[in-house]
Amino acid sequence: MGPECETTQHRYIEESEKSSAEIFGYKTQGWRKAMCIAGYIFSCGALLLLFYWKPAWHVWANCTPCNLQEADVILLRTTDEFQKYTRKKVTLIDLSTLNLLVRDTSDRLFIADKDSVINRAIRKPELKVRSIQVQKIRYVWDFSMNQFQKVGSLDDSNSCSDIHQKFGDGLTSEEQGIRRLVCGPNAIEVEIRPIWKLLFKEILNPFYVFQTFTLTLWLTQGYIEYSVAIIILSIISIGLSVYDLRQQSIKLHDLVEEHNKVQITACTKDEGCKKLESRYLVPGDIIVLDERKHSLPCDAILIDGGCIVDEGMLTGESIPVTKTPLPHTENTNSWKTHSAEDYRRHVLFCGTEVIQTKPSGKGPVRAVVLQTGFNTAKGYLVRSILYPKPMNFKLYRDAFKFIIGLTLIGVLGLIYTVCVYVHHKKPAAETVAMALLLFTVSVPPAIPAALTTGIVYAQKRLKNKKIFCISPQRINICGQINLVCFDKTGTLTEDGLDLWGLIPSQARSFQEVHSFASGRPLPWGLPCGAMASCHSLVLLDEKIQGDPLDKKMFEGTCWEMENSSSAHSKIGVPDTSVIIKPGPNASNAPVDGIVILHQFPFSSGLQRMSVITQLIGRDHYDLYMKGAPEMVSSFCRPETVPADFTKELHMSTAQGFRVIALAHKELNMDKAVELGSLEREKLESNLTFLGLLIMENRLKAETKPVLEELSAARIRSVMVTGDNLQTAVTVAKSAAMISETSKVILIEASEPRGLVPASIAWQLLEDSRHSAAGISDIHINIEGRTIPGRESNNYHFAMNGRSYQAIMKHFKSLLPKILVNGTVFARMSPGQKSSLVEEFQNLNYYVGMCGDGANDCGALKMAHAGISLSEQEASVASPFTSQIPNVECVPELIREGRAALVASFAVFKYLTLYGLTQFIGTSLLYWQLQIFGNYQYLIQDVVITLLVCLTMSLTHAYPKLAPYRPPGQLLSPPLLLSVTLHVGITATMQICGFLFVKQQPWYVELAHHRECPPANGSLASVSTANATGVSSSVLSYEDTTLWPLTTINCIIVAFVFSKGKPFRKPIYTNYLFSVLLLIQLGVCLFLLFADITAVYKGMELLCTPTLWRVSIFLMLVVTFCVSFFVEDVVLQNRRLWQLIKKCFRFRSQSQYRKWQRALERDPTWPPLNRKDVAQSSKTEVYVNPSYEHSQE
């Protein structure tokens, strides 16, 4: 929130981790409210409905602006491009109901933590707190800061010692009561929305309101059959929608309800420990974790003991994660800052399951409640489902604009009708009724529904292919994807790793490789000790569980694992330790076993893990470390790192191997030392380098064909991984993400250090392999050489997460230039993955993200289409979940997205033409005060249009991806031209029919005969004989001519718009639609040529000479030929449009296209073998505040 003064009525508030909203203060005025109530009554509720659609108008009408401190109504406006308004009422929380012991409240701190926002939010002496609730999160007014502050979590400014001192003994009962009232219950409550509420929300949709108005008008005009049909279909549609929403509400409620009923042991200062329901927990409470398995009802900071948790509910990956207590460090830094990116190792997240606890010598495992309710990690996921990020897709905005355009045409029709009927001196009631009727004809009521039919069918086809979707609206967006980010491990490559070999190090040189394929057991030594003990594996139910990499590494030692027992405790082994012993197949070792005393868990931010171990029966302590080779070597003494370390690492990673470095340090420790109080930074220093563990990570068989298919379709592929940069580049080349002829430029950016400014260096991958020291520190002239043949853009950038972070902070202007050719991003943290996806989106790419759903969670949510490879049917981690555990789902999803998008466009164009065709026909009949008959409308509306809309989208996706995307916007020249030309063709045909029939010798203005004359009779004589009848609003030769022209034209347009290749299969493969068109055409031709009096009577048609009916048929044939030629040969001719674009010098306005064109003209790009220095350091830094998983 900004630093505005207290008199302002406008500030900012964080709605969620990824979005914020402007907040405005308003005061309700009594007289304004009275005026509005009067308006509701006099407008018969129309004004109230308008305010329902426009909450900002409701506030502006009822209230006057004021400063936020005095406001009783708050207006929120999102800061994104949608600028959506929300109205909130300020509520007062009354603390006087608590019967606080001390009544003198003038200067009393109600909360022991003097920095707590609750102290600053209590208005004295009334003891009231002003609050609002936004997206399930409660905010209270901070009188000191003059802004709304979030409550429900501990302040991040607390240091490690603050957490222990302020909250280590628990809260008092009184403070607990205050926090409970202000913060609200610790419950993730998802209401099962009542059916009547869902029903009203659906019915009050502007579309259904307009439809209600239309149907009411039609019913008053006696158009009962079609009105009833539409009412029945609307009821079914609304019913299905309400049922679906209700079921989703029930599922989500059932998913979270169990969390609200957990029994937990909580401790207070004055009442000790007792069992209570988890909903009564507040931030700052002390909870005790017992040995049984149970789900965590809140986010909590572990302060005593350790535990192992299963975070599968949040990450989709059921791997045990070890949690360690927050150290009791004496410093003033925030506890999160102290732990850097690894603070999550101390946090137990809500919704995760505690599967094992490890009490310390101090007593049971204890934790401080950090966040409650919807502030928790699980609450964040539930809120992301309840309030999904709105996707800005031009199709839906354009559809709205298109409907407005059709409405304006309807208004013109309304004016035209009034003029005609007034000119003929018709009654006002009839004039208004007919004018409104023509107005409703121009906007087909099925248009909004038409945009979803393709999506519904595509969703069903995806489900049949084991791809599940929780956000159906994104299927259309998938049709526009032109860049896909892939995680590497488990996505492009196999989940499992195979041990290839161990390269031990001794005397600053690498020794002979130990090959695991040989079957020889690994000889005892420090490398063997590191592999046996430096992991996070646990023994649960006699089964080893944990990270697949750790399991494979441990299995390579042939050692065994067991939990400590009472027998072990007699020889000094702690009860909670894990014991590693040589197995029957292991090599001889001069030790009885190793005890793992303490773990510093692995995190993708720190890129390492370490353990403290003790040899059984000896006072000998060791620290083992494993992790990224570059990271581990930086903690080792330089004299222990082999001189050819970089060369050996490059050789291994260049072959696509995954490389883990091992290191060791002997510790001089006292038995009585408290392990939890040891500082990791001091322990992890001056290590001895032990060697490199080489693991093979094979590509999945499906990876290369899929990436080649995407490349052929001109869809960019980008790798975003937590693995080593060189390994990632090699895998990218093996998978055809980078072609053999392409150059790879490594980018290395560094943060400023002291007086040395931030720098960025560029080097060809081939050059880097020949340099053990990497890029030279010599400052190279800025006019460095560039790649030969650069005009073909045949180069790729590769970088690691550290460089990406430095570029974001100090070289932001270079980022777009790098991203348009950036292909490999390695050692990326979860937050950096999300940031990268967002930066690609800022360049106007439509981004897909495919990952395993664990540490890719943020990026999967951020992307336009996130696909999680999971065995679950649906994952809250991403919009799409594939049960097929490989990347074949990516092109499948894009194919279906393209088919759904094209289908939506086709149905939309069809309905537009149908509405305008009917509009033109009705307008021509209005000229002589006539109209189509009810059954004539019924056949057009139900028998043809409705069935076409329901079946046109059934055509399956074309199996091959085209090298270009379908149009992504309705207001594009080809589509607008298509609609305009077809309307012109239709109008020409209808006007010709309308005028030509008047020129026929047998034509009379008033005709009432339906029967055809006998074979020897004259139509003219029959016409004359009947010409004296009363005028009819339907029966006329104009109506009899225009109806078949209008109706069969709807069938022609449906066929012409059902485009097949390149995005959908040919129309004849859609059997239902093809047969339906033939039946409809047959029925219409039967009605045209049948000389059956009963048919003419029922349809309100007149008999015309056979020759005229043949003429009508020939007009339709000509119309079909012209329409087909215009649509298929001209408008769908890609080469023609490319030629037109070239002639008019039209160029894409997408940001990435602009950058590509600019870089093609830049002779100095890409830079090579040079180092640039930042002119001035910027302070901004990307921080991802949402939950991140700690494993790669």
Side-chain angles (χ1 to χ4, degrees):
M1 294 183 226
E4 291 90 343
C5 64
E6 102 180 44
T7 57
T8 189
Q9 83 268 4
H10 170 219
R11 284 182 178 276
Y12 290 88
I13 191 171
E14 283 189 9
E15 274 194 327
S16 68
E17 286 80 354
K18 291 289 181 183
S19 64
S20 61
E22 293 176 274
I23 177 170
F24 303 88
Y26 287 88
K27 190 88 172 170
T28 306
Q29 295 287 319
W31 65 270
R32 282 173 172 258
K33 196 169 183 179
M35 293 272 291
C36 288
I37 292 171
Y40 303 156
I41 296 167
F42 289 122
S43 65
C44 300
L47 184 62
L48 189 61
L49 184 63
L50 185 64
F51 285 166
Y52 171 78
W53 292 336
K54 295 284 185 181
W57 294 7
H58 181 273
V59 174
W60 296 335
N62 283 271
C63 312
T64 54
C66 68
N67 88 49
L68 288 168
Q69 187 167 329
E70 299 171 357
D72 60 1
V73 173
I74 296 295
L75 190 62
L76 297 166
R77 183 175 67 193
T78 58
T79 53
D80 57 22
E81 55 207 297
F82 301 99
Q83 301 276 293
K84 185 181 177 184
Y85 282 97
T86 312
R87 172 179 167 269
K88 297 289 176 184
K89 289 198 74 172
V90 177
T91 57
L92 291 177
I93 301 170
D94 190 359
L95 299 184
S96 61
T97 57
L98 292 175
N99 298 318
L100 302 176
L101 297 177
V102 181
R103 302 305 301 173
D104 180 15
T105 58
S106 55
D107 57 354
R108 182 188 173 211
L109 287 177
F110 290 89
I111 301 297
D113 178 9
K114 65 179 186 299
D115 298 321
S116 172
V117 67
I118 298 176
N119 281 324
R120 305 193 298 270
I122 299 173
R123 188 168 67 194
K124 302 168 186 175
E126 300 97 328
L127 298 183
K128 286 183 168 49
V129 177
R130 302 174 68 246
S131 72
I132 57 172
Q133 187 159 304
V134 182
Q135 292 189 353
K136 303 290 186 181
I137 299 294
R138 184 175 288 181
Y139 297 82
V140 296
W141 179 254
D142 185 333
F143 286 94
S144 298
M145 304 292 290
N146 290 304
Q147 60 188 18
F148 280 101
Q149 299 269 36
K150 188 191 298 185
V151 289
S153 58
L154 292 184
D155 197 337
D156 285 343
S157 64
N158 285 306
S159 66
C160 294
S161 57
D162 286 340
I163 298 290
H164 284 277
Q165 290 170 10
K166 291 180 182 178
F167 309 109
D169 296 328
L171 306 172
T172 63
S173 298
E174 184 178 290
E175 183 174 336
Q176 212 177 36
I178 294 171
R179 285 181 179 267
R180 194 172 292 146
L181 202 56
V182 174
C183 300
N186 173 41
I188 301 175
E189 293 175 332
V190 177
E191 176 194 15
I192 298 179
R193 300 177 71 180
I195 292 175
W196 68 267
K197 271 191 181 180
L198 295 170
L199 196 60
F200 266 93
K201 189 173 181 181
E202 281 294 306
I203 291 172
L204 294 180
N205 183 294
F207 158 64
Y208 284 116
V209 172
F210 177 75
Q211 194 179 67
T212 303
F213 165 73
T214 303
L215 293 173
T216 304
L217 181 67
W218 289 349
L219 285 168
T220 59
Q221 294 300 306
Y223 191 23
I224 298 170
E225 294 85 354
Y226 180 57
S227 299
V228 170
I230 291 294
I231 289 169
I232 292 169
L233 287 169
S234 297
I235 290 171
I236 293 171
S237 174
I238 292 171
L240 289 173
S241 180
V242 167
Y243 174 78
D244 190 38
L245 290 169
R246 172 83 173 180
Q247 289 302 110
Q248 287 180 21
S249 181
I250 291 171
K251 281 181 183 178
L252 194 56
H253 174 270
D254 293 344
L255 178 71
V256 299
E257 184 59 25
E258 190 179 336
H259 149 93
N260 302 326
K261 297 177 180 177
V262 177
Q263 289 292 317
I264 198 87
T265 303
C267 303
T268 57
K269 283 182 180 177
D270 46 358
E271 294 181 359
C273 297
K274 61 178 181 181
K275 287 266 186 184
L276 78 162
E277 201 171 303
S278 59
R279 65 182 297 107
Y280 297 114
L281 290 176
V282 295
D285 265 339
I286 286 288
I287 56 173
V288 177
L289 305 177
D290 49 33
E291 294 183 2
R292 63 186 175 83
K293 286 187 181 181
H294 61 274
S295 177
L296 280 162
C298 59
D299 287 355
I301 307 171
L302 199 60
I303 59 170
D304 282 327
C307 62
I308 296 167
V309 298
D310 179 359
E311 295 184 339
M313 182 268 160
L314 296 177
T315 65
E317 198 172 35
S318 293
I319 292 176
V321 179
T322 302
K323 300 290 182 176
T324 58
L326 186 74
H328 204 306
T329 310
E330 295 289 341
N331 61 40
T332 56
N333 292 335
S334 160
W335 69 276
K336 283 188 177 180
T337 306
H338 169 80
S339 302
E341 292 184 35
D342 207 24
Y343 75 86
R344 293 166 202 84
R345 72 177 186 255
H346 309 306
V347 179
L348 308 173
F349 292 101
C350 176
T352 59
E353 186 180 23
V354 177
I355 51 181
Q356 192 177 85
T357 56
K358 298 179 178 180
S360 64
K362 293 180 180 179
V365 178
R366 300 191 311 148
V368 175
V369 175
L370 173 64
Q371 296 179 135
T372 58
F374 281 96
N375 293 285
T376 62
K378 184 173 181 179
Y380 167 74
L381 284 181
V382 173
R383 284 196 302 126
S384 70
I385 297 171
L386 292 172
Y387 310 102
K389 177 189 171 186
M391 296 304 297
N392 182 16
F393 191 36
K394 290 180 180 177
L395 172 64
Y396 304 112
R397 286 184 299 159
D398 289 351
F400 182 70
K401 292 175 184 175
F402 218 91
I403 290 172
I404 290 175
L406 293 176
T407 305
L408 293 176
I409 292 173
V411 171
L412 293 176
L414 187 144
I415 296 168
Y416 159 79
T417 307
V418 171
C419 292
V420 170
Y421 275 71
V422 168
H423 175 73
H424 286 87
K425 297 183 173 57
K426 289 293 180 180
E430 184 182 353
T431 302
V432 170
M434 301 310 283
L436 290 175
L437 191 63
L438 186 60
F439 171 72
T440 58
V441 164
S442 65
V443 186
I447 278 186
L451 288 174
T452 63
T453 53
I455 296 173
V456 171
Y457 295 139
Q459 187 177 9
K460 186 178 179 182
R461 290 194 292 267
L462 286 171
K463 191 173 182 180
N464 292 336
K465 293 170 183 174
K466 303 295 183 185
I467 301 172
F468 300 91
C469 173
I470 61 170
S471 181
Q473 292 300 323
R474 295 199 189 214
I475 294 176
N476 269 343
I477 302 176
C478 293
Q480 286 292 293
I481 286 175
N482 54 0
L483 183 147
V484 184
C485 296
F486 292 96
D487 181 34
K488 183 181 77 68
T489 309
T491 304
L492 297 175
T493 59
E494 297 288 353
D495 265 323
L497 293 165
D498 294 321
L499 288 176
W500 183 85
L502 174 69
I503 312 177
S505 170
Q506 193 173 354
R508 218 190 168 196
S509 63
F510 284 111
Q511 307 299 305
E512 183 183 349
V513 178
H514 172 83
S515 173
F516 290 97
S518 65
R520 292 184 292 112
L522 182 68
W524 165 251
L526 290 175
C528 180
M531 288 176 61
S533 61
C534 193
H535 51 70
S536 57
L537 300 175
V538 295
L539 195 65
L540 296 173
D541 302 324
E542 303 303 318
K543 186 178 179 182
I544 296 175
Q545 295 185 21
D547 186 87
L549 184 151
D550 284 350
K551 286 177 73 175
K552 188 65 70 171
M553 181 184 73
F554 180 71
E555 288 166 2
T557 64
C558 298
W559 282 42
E560 295 175 343
M561 179 186 291
E562 61 182 67
N563 289 321
S564 59
S565 61
S566 55
H568 293 119
S569 61
K570 293 177 182 177
I571 56 173
V573 176
D575 291 342
T576 57
S577 301
V578 174
I579 296 172
I580 311 297
K581 289 185 174 182
N585 298 323
S587 58
N588 291 328
V591 294
D592 295 329
I594 298 173
V595 182
I596 302 174
L597 299 174
H598 189 72
Q599 286 184 15
F600 297 108
F602 175 84
S603 88
S604 53
L606 299 177
Q607 299 178 1
R608 68 184 190 275
M609 81 161 288
S610 53
V611 293
I612 298 173
T613 65
Q614 177 187 3
L615 295 178
I616 291 180
R618 305 184 199 174
D619 291 334
H620 182 91
Y621 301 91
D622 298 282
L623 180 136
Y624 290 107
M625 177 189 285
K626 83 166 192 295
E630 307 92 331
M631 181 61 70
V632 172
S633 62
S634 69
F635 287 93
C636 295
R637 301 196 309 276
E639 63 270 18
T640 67
V641 180
D644 58 346
F645 167 78
T646 306
K647 180 183 176 183
E648 190 68 44
L649 179 61
H650 274 309
M651 284 178 61
S652 298
T653 54
Q655 297 175 62
F657 290 126
R658 182 158 187 188
V659 184
I660 306 292
L662 306 173
H664 165 263
K665 178 183 181 180
E666 191 172 323
L667 301 177
N668 295 315
M669 287 196 324
D670 191 353
K671 260 189 176 182
V673 71
E674 177 55 50
L675 295 174
S677 64
L678 296 174
E679 290 191 26
R680 183 172 187 173
E681 289 72 19
K682 289 182 180 178
L683 292 171
E684 294 179 335
S685 60
N686 297 317
L687 276 70
T688 300
F689 187 80
L690 296 181
L692 298 174
L693 179 64
I694 312 296
M695 307 184 88
E696 193 173 12
N697 194 196
R698 296 188 182 93
L699 273 182
K700 290 181 178 177
E702 303 83 5
T703 296
K704 189 171 181 179
V706 165
L707 295 187
E708 286 174 341
E709 182 181 6
L710 294 178
S711 178
R714 295 183 183 176
I715 297 170
R716 274 188 67 189
S717 297
V718 172
M719 185 187 296
V720 189
T721 178
D723 206 346
N724 174 276
L725 178 58
Q726 185 68 53
T727 303
V729 171
T730 305
V731 171
K733 287 188 172 183
S734 304
M737 193 177 281
I738 298 174
S739 67
E740 294 180 3
T741 57
S742 297
K743 302 288 185 181
V744 178
I745 302 172
L746 297 181
I747 299 175
E748 186 172 333
S750 58
E751 299 273 359
R753 294 178 184 174
L755 298 175
V756 180
S759 62
I760 182 169
W762 323 72
Q763 188 174 27
L764 265 179
L765 180 65
E766 289 76 7
D767 295 344
S768 69
R769 288 178 184 172
H770 300 306
S771 172
I775 299 172
S776 172
D777 288 336
I778 299 171
H779 192 100
I780 297 172
N781 192 317
I782 199 166
E783 297 297 332
R785 67 185 178 92
T786 57
I787 291 180
R790 59 168 297 287
E791 62 277 358
S792 63
N793 287 328
N794 201 18
Y795 62 91
H796 300 263
F797 290 123
M799 71 178 80
N800 59 28
R802 190 178 298 171
S803 296
Y804 174 78
Q805 193 80 352
I807 291 168
M808 284 285 291
K809 287 172 66 177
H810 307 288
F811 301 95
K812 193 67 184 281
S813 61
L814 285 176
L815 191 62
K817 298 182 179 182
I818 293 169
L819 292 185
V820 292
N821 282 93
T823 302
V824 177
F825 297 84
R827 296 289 187 225
M828 297 286 279
S829 70
Q832 288 168 342
K833 290 182 179 184
S834 299
S835 170
L836 179 66
V837 168
E838 191 170 17
E839 291 300 327
F840 274 127
Q841 290 173 332
N842 291 339
L843 289 175
N844 301 135
Y845 280 108
Y846 281 92
V847 184
M849 173 73 198
C850 185
D852 56 15
N855 64 334
D856 305 313
C857 193
L860 289 167
K861 286 180 179 294
M862 179 62 67
H864 289 105
I867 314 165
S868 172
L869 305 183
S870 168
E871 292 182 3
Q872 303 297 320
E873 181 173 314
S875 169
V876 294
S878 66
F880 299 94
T881 304
S882 172
Q883 284 188 342
I884 304 166
N886 60 59
V887 293
E888 283 182 332
C889 58
V890 175
E892 200 65 64
L893 185 59
I894 295 173
R895 274 192 288 270
E896 289 297 347
R898 289 181 173 186
L901 187 58
V902 170
S904 294
F905 275 36
V907 176
F908 195 94
K909 282 166 61 178
Y910 169 76
L911 281 174
T912 303
L913 257 295
Y914 148 74
L916 292 177
T917 300
Q918 209 173 65
F919 177 82
I920 295 166
T922 305
S923 300
L924 289 172
L925 290 176
Y926 271 20
W927 185 255
Q928 53 194 40
L929 307 180
Q930 290 182 319
I931 190 171
F932 289 123
N934 282 358
Y935 285 108
Q936 294 172 1
Y937 273 128
L938 195 66
I939 286 185
Q940 290 177 352
D941 296 339
V942 177
V943 177
I944 294 177
T945 299
L946 197 59
L947 295 178
V948 163
C949 289
L950 292 174
T951 57
M952 186 186 272
S953 301
L954 286 171
T955 310
H956 286 221
Y958 195 71
K960 184 181 178 183
L961 280 174
Y964 52 92
R965 298 174 294 160
Q969 50 189 6
L970 282 169
L971 301 181
S972 60
L975 190 136
L976 289 175
L977 195 58
S978 173
V979 171
T980 305
L981 289 176
H982 285 291
V983 168
I985 294 165
T986 301
T988 303
M989 174 193 67
Q990 289 176 305
I991 292 170
C992 287
F994 182 76
L995 295 176
F996 287 169
V997 74
K998 292 176 180 290
Q999 308 302 319
Q1000 302 308 308
W1002 40 263
Y1003 170 80
V1004 289
E1005 283 191 19
L1006 299 174
H1008 290 271
H1009 69 281
R1010 292 190 180 89
E1011 69 280 1
C1012 285
N1016 58 354
S1018 167
L1019 184 63
S1021 61
V1022 177
S1023 300
T1024 307
N1026 288 275
T1028 58
V1030 181
S1031 172
S1032 168
S1033 64
V1034 176
L1035 285 175
S1036 70
Y1037 287 118
E1038 290 87 351
D1039 171 81
T1040 302
T1041 301
L1042 285 176
W1043 184 80
L1045 289 176
T1046 303
T1047 308
I1048 297 178
N1049 186 67
C1050 290
I1051 300 172
I1052 291 171
V1053 169
F1055 177 82
V1056 169
F1057 285 163
S1058 296
K1059 177 73 176 171
K1061 193 177 174 182
F1063 304 115
R1064 296 198 296 170
K1065 288 182 178 180
I1067 185 174
Y1068 58 78
T1069 61
N1070 186 347
Y1071 305 117
L1072 186 60
F1073 180 64
S1074 303
V1075 170
L1076 188 68
L1077 285 186
L1078 290 173
I1079 292 172
Q1080 289 171 341
L1081 182 62
V1083 170
C1084 290
L1085 291 177
F1086 168 76
L1087 293 175
L1088 177 63
F1089 288 103
D1091 290 339
I1092 303 173
T1093 303
V1095 171
Y1096 287 138
K1097 185 176 180 181
M1099 291 300 300
E1100 298 184 82
L1101 296 172
L1102 295 174
C1103 184
T1104 56
T1106 304
L1107 186 61
W1108 178 245
R1109 285 179 269 174
V1110 171
S1111 300
I1112 292 174
F1113 179 72
L1114 291 176
M1115 288 172 68
L1116 289 166
V1117 170
V1118 171
T1119 302
F1120 169 75
C1121 294
V1122 174
S1123 296
F1124 187 81
F1125 177 82
V1126 166
E1127 184 69 20
D1128 213 57
V1129 180
V1130 179
L1131 296 174
Q1132 297 293 333
N1133 190 327
R1134 182 170 168 78
R1135 290 182 181 177
L1136 177 63
W1137 280 105
Q1138 286 177 331
L1139 185 64
I1140 293 171
K1141 286 180 180 179
K1142 192 174 180 181
C1143 291
F1144 287 94
R1145 296 184 178 179
F1146 173 81
R1147 292 185 171 184
S1148 170
Q1149 295 305 302
S1150 295
Q1151 289 297 317
Y1152 72 92
R1153 289 290 189 198
K1154 289 181 179 178
W1155 280 111
Q1156 285 173 345
R1157 291 194 294 267
L1159 295 178
E1160 283 174 3
R1161 297 190 299 267
D1162 186 353
T1164 65
W1165 191 266
L1168 192 61
N1169 285 353
R1170 83 179 195 204
K1171 190 172 185 178
D1172 300 330
V1173 176
Q1175 295 300 315
S1176 61
S1177 294
K1178 297 179 182 178
T1179 56
E1180 65 265 20
V1181 58
Y1182 176 81
V1183 178
N1184 181 30
S1186 64
Y1187 172 83
E1188 294 171 8
H1189 190 246
S1190 59
Q1191 300 283 347
E1192 191 227 310

